[in-house]
Amino acid sequence: MRESTTRGIISLDGPYGLVYDVGEMTCTVREDETFRYAFAPNWPVIDLLEPPDFQGVPGFDLGLRKDEYVRENAVPVFVSERAPSKNREDLWRMLEAQGMEYLDQLEWLIRTDTRYIGDKLYVRAPDDSHAAREVDVASEIEHAANSEHALRL
């Protein structure tokens, strides 16, 4: 059976100009029109965040501390709150504005600049050149604190 998968990184812009990648979301759609959303939390980053900047990812009970949260044939609240539904009156105009020919809600979230008012989370395309790697946290913080962006704050 054929399938198509969309990947996105759930991120938030935090203090001092830092971007926090809180996890990866994938949506796999199969040719029989069944679908699967999966969210893999980035626990080392999530453990650094505190309210009001981060209050969880809507629809996922992060208190369970799973490696992956899965929704079969159900759109997660995180997505349904932010992306247009298939029954939206101006759906085709919204898709056209993002250069899309069909509704892929996760892809729409990646392409749009529209932000949800309820929290600071957004979805961006994965940048495979920055794949998971070990980092020296103290060095990274020092680098970020001395960056041009941070010095303007």
Side-chain angles (χ1 to χ4, degrees):
M1 182 181 311
R2 295 185 321 175
E3 59 184 38
S4 173
T5 300
T6 303
R7 291 176 48 225
I9 304 298
I10 299 177
S11 303
L12 72 85
D13 294 332
Y16 312 111
L18 298 175
V19 175
Y20 295 87
D21 294 339
V22 300
E24 179 177 281
M25 181 169 284
T26 60
C27 177
T28 301
V29 179
R30 300 174 198 96
E31 67 182 336
D32 66 357
E33 297 186 12
T34 60
F35 58 95
R36 176 185 193 267
Y37 277 91
F39 170 63
N42 185 353
W43 290 115
V45 170
I46 290 172
D47 291 341
L48 294 173
L49 300 170
E50 297 178 355
D53 291 319
F54 181 73
Q55 298 180 40
V57 179
F60 299 104
D61 182 357
L62 299 184
L64 299 175
R65 297 200 57 94
K66 294 181 177 183
D67 291 332
E68 183 177 63
Y69 296 80
V70 175
R71 301 291 181 268
E72 289 285 345
N73 300 314
V75 178
V77 171
F78 174 81
V79 174
S80 65
E81 286 182 336
R82 293 166 168 76
S85 70
K86 63 182 178 181
N87 298 324
R88 186 174 172 128
E89 187 173 312
D90 60 345
L91 175 62
W92 293 108
R93 182 192 59 75
M94 294 180 77
L95 293 176
E96 187 176 286
Q98 300 307 321
M100 298 174 66
E101 295 180 7
Y102 61 92
L103 179 59
D104 174 334
Q105 289 177 309
L106 188 55
E107 182 66 29
W108 189 86
L109 290 173
I110 291 167
R111 292 184 186 202
T112 188
D113 291 331
T114 302
R115 295 284 178 101
Y116 178 68
I117 197 166
D119 57 39
K120 296 181 178 185
L121 299 172
Y122 61 95
V123 183
R124 62 180 186 76
D127 181 357
D128 292 328
S129 68
H130 293 96
R133 59 185 170 90
E134 284 191 31
V135 297
D136 175 1
V137 174
S139 173
E140 292 294 321
I141 290 172
E142 181 180 349
H143 175 73
N146 293 318
S147 70
E148 182 179 325
H149 180 76
L151 295 174
R152 286 184 272 160
L153 297 176

